[in-house]
Structures are given as C-alpha cells and as structure tokens.
Amino acid sequence: MPNVKVYNMAGEPVGNIDLSDMIFGREVNGAVLHAAVRAYLMNQRQGTQSTLTRTEVSGGGKKPWRQKGTGRARQGSTRAPQWTHGGIALGPKPRDYRTGMNKKTKRVALFSALSSKVAAGDLMVVEAISAADYSTKTMVAMLKALGADKKALIVLPEVDAKVIKSCANIPGVKTTQYNTMNVYDVLNADKFIIAKDAVAKLEEVYA
C-alpha cells in the first residue's frame, strides 16, 4: 500500500496518507496507456479537413491546346493535379477519427497512469486546495511551494470556481475533478496534485 506525504498549500508536510493498492499501486501497463493516449488524441481531431479534387475546382472546362501537333504533352484541363491552381490528387477529405475503448480498459489505463505518478514520486496530496478570492497569485504561490511550477494537473473533489479561474491563465496548469480526469492529462503533467478529499472520493468510487 503506497504511503505518501500530505502537504498544506504552503508546501509544508502535515501528515501521511495510505493510498489504495487497487488504484495507486498497480503494475503499469504500457500497452494500455499507449492505447488510451492514442484514443484520446484521435478523439480530439475534428476531421473537417478537405481539399478540392479536379472536379471541384472551378474552371478548366476548355482544353488548353489541341491534342496533336504542338510538341507539348497532351492536356485536357487546366485543373488537373499537375497544373498550378489545379485540383489535389488523393488529398484529405472529411472523416471521423473517433475510436472507442471499453470501460474496463479505460479503468486499467487510469489506474496505470496514477500508479506511474506514485512510482515516480510525482503525485502530491494536498490537505485542502482552496482560494479565498479569485487570485492567480495564491495558486502560483502554492505551486511554487510544492515544487510544481512547470506542468501540473490539479485534481479537486468538486467544482470550485475560484480555484479553477485562479489557475486558468497559469501556463502549463490544468484543473479537473476526480471524476472527469483522463489518462492523457495525468501523464502529460509533470506533477499530479490532488486534494485529500478527492483521494477519498476516488477510492470510494473505484475501490
């Protein structure tokens, strides 16, 4: 059972907490993590890219020159792909990139991601994450005290508008709730900062 320190917002240790083996002490499954990240990135794609083929480019109805006798290669339209301002051969067209993962695999991927953060020493539990007012300075000070002033994911037990908006314009910092975080965000963060109440709710839901 992993045991990690609990910090306050000033970066001072205030205790320890035992984390669930089922969620935070798993063997990291690299193949499932790769599949989860790939699925997430593919699902972010809009798939609206579109190029015009030779039939869709306006103009080109007239044959540029006669078929024979000019010494040049035969051409039927100025909108063929080899012409400037011609259509695009085999270019991208709108398509759906979405791919799915079953619930069991998603869960294994999330547990593997969280376990990898614990194993690397990049998971930090904070006793309570709050802001008295909308203050970016408060959240910057907390991150600096925790040594997480690069890319960080802050996980809250519930929606807290003051904390979320206070972190909104800090480069590299993202906030989420325990029930909406995804594998990509967990792995992409240098430091995974989670409120103690969020740990309890996460273990209540999954363990």
Side-chain angles (χ1 to χ4, degrees), residues 80-120:
Q82 72 269 22
W83 284 74
T84 302
H85 307 303
I88 302 297
L90 307 176
K93 283 293 185 182
R95 57 170 286 196
D96 185 8
Y97 287 94
R98 290 196 66 80
T99 184
M101 291 182 71
N102 63 54
K103 189 181 291 185
K104 184 177 179 181
T105 309
K106 281 182 182 177
R107 188 167 290 190
V108 170
L110 180 60
F111 294 166
S112 286
L114 293 172
S115 298
S116 71
K117 288 298 177 186
V118 174

Side-chain angles (χ1 to χ4, degrees), residues 4-15 17 19 123-130 139 142-143 145-146 148 153-157 192-200:
V4 298
K5 289 182 179 180
V6 179
Y7 298 88
N8 59 21
M9 289 183 65
E12 301 163 343
V14 292
I17 185 172
L19 302 175
L123 183 143
M124 308 185 79
V125 178
V126 179
E127 191 171 30
I129 302 174
S130 60
M139 304 314 297
M142 180 194 79
L143 292 168
L146 293 171
L153 179 66
I154 299 174
V155 182
L156 305 171
F192 180 85
I193 300 168
I194 184 168
K196 190 176 179 181
D197 288 347
V199 173

